[in-house]
Amino acid sequence: MKRKMVKGRKGKDRISDLSDALLLHILSFLNIKQVIRTCILSPRWKNLWKYIPTLTLFTTAEISTKFVSRILSLRDNSTDLYSLRFRTSNVTEPSLVETIINYAVSHKVQLLHVSIDCDIQHFPNCLLSCRSLTSLHLCFNHPTVYATTILFPSSLNMPLLTRLDLWLFAFRAGNDGRVDPFSALTNLKSLTMVYCKVAGAQNLCISSTKLVSLYINMSHYAPETYFGMELYAPNLCTFNFSGIPVQKLCWGKSNLSSIKRVSIDIIAFWKSKETSLVLLKWLNELANMESLMISSSALKVLSLVPNLLVELPSLCNLKSLKVEKRQISRMIPDGIVDILIQNSPSPTVDIID
């Protein structure tokens, strides 16, 4: 087969024919060190990087605090910042974190992703009332203390925020033993909490009328750090839980019929009748779901329920069941899958290794 040759000037610089807007979009996929290197390509590229709407700052041995500060000072001040991602694998000065967050907020950042190893104790005040943010990911993990050390603020003013991801945070309950930290986020649609806790192991209230997706991971904490949960989210569609154990996690007085997609993974096998009864209660509350992904370890816990065949709710709307075999407990109790789908009209069943 003969190959057709494309005619054209040999060695033509097609990239330089692109518009500045398109070149800046291409540069937005690179980290800042790669972006800076483009300034030596030609006079046109010398200052182009200063107008980039996204910044990806990863501090390493090669990229110092001084380098990051220099980047922020040289960037065009009139250009709004759409997205800023800052991550460090070494201990970072808290002052640098505050400088970066202050810069992002003052330049109307919409997507902010901060993941750092430093002993920062407080949010910069400007972040608490950032009116441009639509997505916020925060992970402050001090390398010497693998525990939640950062208190989540009691009040936020982020009217446009739709997505919030929190790692390693603590919530402080009031005198009534409850804390409701998200009620002011009126547009929140997606909430992720990983390794978070409520001081004193009291109740966390999640109240959001627009919330559609909730993910909770409590895998790395001792049981005494677990909290009760009161859920008021009438439009919640997706609920994912991963952790050990489940006995202190409880629903509030809410109607969970809106939840259609559920994922439950108990990381380790907890031979506890109390845990199994709580898991059974969850399935009763979530009986309107259409798809369920559940781990083999969770099924093993569920199998401890006395007279499960009678006690298990009718999952009449269930269309898809996926069982994930966990390495810690790969065996699926005999007959439990049939019990789960006994009242479901021909659901698809997948066993996942």
Side-chain angles (χ1 to χ4, degrees):
M1 180 182 293
K2 293 184 178 181
R3 295 182 179 178
K4 293 182 179 181
M5 301 298 293
V6 179
K7 294 182 179 181
R9 286 184 299 168
K10 186 177 181 180
K12 183 180 179 181
D13 183 4
R14 296 180 181 273
I15 293 181
S16 293
D17 289 340
L18 301 177
S19 66
D20 285 356
L22 187 54
L23 290 177
L24 288 171
H25 178 70
I26 294 172
L27 291 178
S28 68
F29 293 96
L30 306 177
N31 66 49
I32 192 61
K33 190 173 183 181
Q34 295 168 326
V35 171
I36 295 295
R37 286 173 175 168
T38 63
C39 69
I40 65 172
L41 295 177
S42 70
R44 183 193 175 189
W45 289 80
K46 184 176 181 180
N47 294 307
L48 187 63
W49 71 270
K50 297 179 182 179
Y51 301 90
I52 191 169
T54 64
L55 285 179
T56 302
L57 306 172
F58 293 165
T59 59
T60 62
E62 297 178 356
I63 301 180
S64 64
T65 297
K66 185 178 180 180
F67 176 82
V68 172
S69 300
R70 183 68 171 160
I71 293 302
L72 298 182
S73 65
L74 290 176
R75 186 177 176 273
D76 181 71
N77 235 2
S78 64
T79 303
D80 287 344
L81 192 60
Y82 172 72
S83 169
L84 187 146
R85 294 175 60 88
F86 177 58
R87 187 180 72 194
T88 177
S89 57
N90 57 347
V91 179
T92 306
E93 289 294 330
S95 59
L96 175 62
V97 178
E98 294 186 10
T99 298
I100 290 173
I101 292 179
N102 283 326
Y103 181 89
V105 172
S106 66
H107 288 76
K108 300 179 181 179
V109 66
Q110 295 182 41
L111 279 65
L112 180 60
H113 189 292
V114 179
S115 181
I116 57 176
D117 296 334
C118 76
D119 191 13
I120 187 170
Q121 293 298 323
H122 303 286
F123 288 87
N125 288 329
C126 64
L127 182 61
L128 306 184
S129 57
C130 181
R131 304 184 68 83
S132 61
L133 268 178
T134 61
S135 178
L136 178 61
H137 176 107
L138 292 174
C139 177
F140 293 145
N141 180 28
H142 193 278
T144 59
V145 183
Y146 190 74
T148 303
T149 57
I150 309 301
L151 277 175
F152 194 75
S154 57
S155 62
L156 295 174
N157 183 17
M158 300 178 183
L160 300 182
L161 194 71
T162 60
R163 175 173 178 173
L164 179 61
D165 299 340
L166 300 175
W167 290 59
L168 293 156
F169 277 87
F171 305 95
R172 177 170 291 166
N175 294 331
D176 60 352
R178 298 171 68 254
V179 58
D180 190 358
F182 312 116
S183 58
L185 304 177
T186 55
N187 280 301
L188 189 64
K189 295 180 179 179
S190 174
L191 175 61
T192 295
M193 294 186 297
V194 181
Y195 314 152
C196 292
K197 68 179 181 181
V198 179
Q202 299 186 57
N203 285 348
L204 173 68
C205 179
I206 299 176
S207 56
S208 177
T209 57
K210 293 187 178 180
L211 190 68
V212 295
S213 177
L214 175 62
Y215 173 71
I216 298 176
N217 186 321
M218 300 194 302
S219 304
H220 284 68
Y221 281 118
E224 61 268 15
T225 65
Y226 292 172
F227 48 86
M229 184 176 70
E230 300 176 21
L231 185 63
Y232 302 94
N235 291 303
L236 190 64
C237 293
T238 302
F239 172 70
N240 295 332
F241 173 85
S242 178
I244 50 174
V246 294
Q247 51 259 46
K248 287 193 176 181
L249 187 64
C250 59
W251 300 114
K253 296 178 181 178
S254 56
N255 184 354
L256 304 180
S257 61
S258 63
I259 299 179
K260 306 300 181 185
R261 294 177 293 275
V262 177
S263 176
I264 299 173
D265 181 15
I266 298 178
I267 301 300
F269 172 54
W270 286 75
K271 192 172 182 180
S272 163
K273 182 180 177 181
E274 182 184 358
T275 302
S276 62
L277 290 176
V278 170
L279 187 54
L280 176 65
K281 181 182 177 182
W282 284 22
L283 294 178
N284 275 284
E285 297 276 5
L286 301 167
N288 203 44
M289 66 180 130
E290 295 179 358
S291 70
L292 171 63
M293 176 176 282
I294 191 166
S295 65
S296 54
S297 54
L299 288 181
K300 194 170 182 182
V301 169
L302 186 62
S303 69
L304 298 176
V305 174
N307 203 12
L308 179 62
L309 181 62
V310 176
E311 297 293 336
L312 194 70
S314 297
L315 305 179
C316 300
N317 296 318
L318 192 65
K319 299 176 181 178
S320 172
L321 173 64
K322 295 182 180 180
V323 179
E324 184 179 20
K325 290 185 176 181
R326 297 288 304 181
Q327 188 66 33
I328 198 166
S329 178
R330 297 179 57 83
M331 296 300 295
I332 300 173
D334 291 340
I336 196 167
V337 171
D338 292 332
I339 294 176
L340 278 174
I341 64 173
Q342 60 182 329
N343 294 308
S344 308
S346 304
T348 59
V349 179
D350 296 310
I351 309 298
I352 303 170
D353 286 327

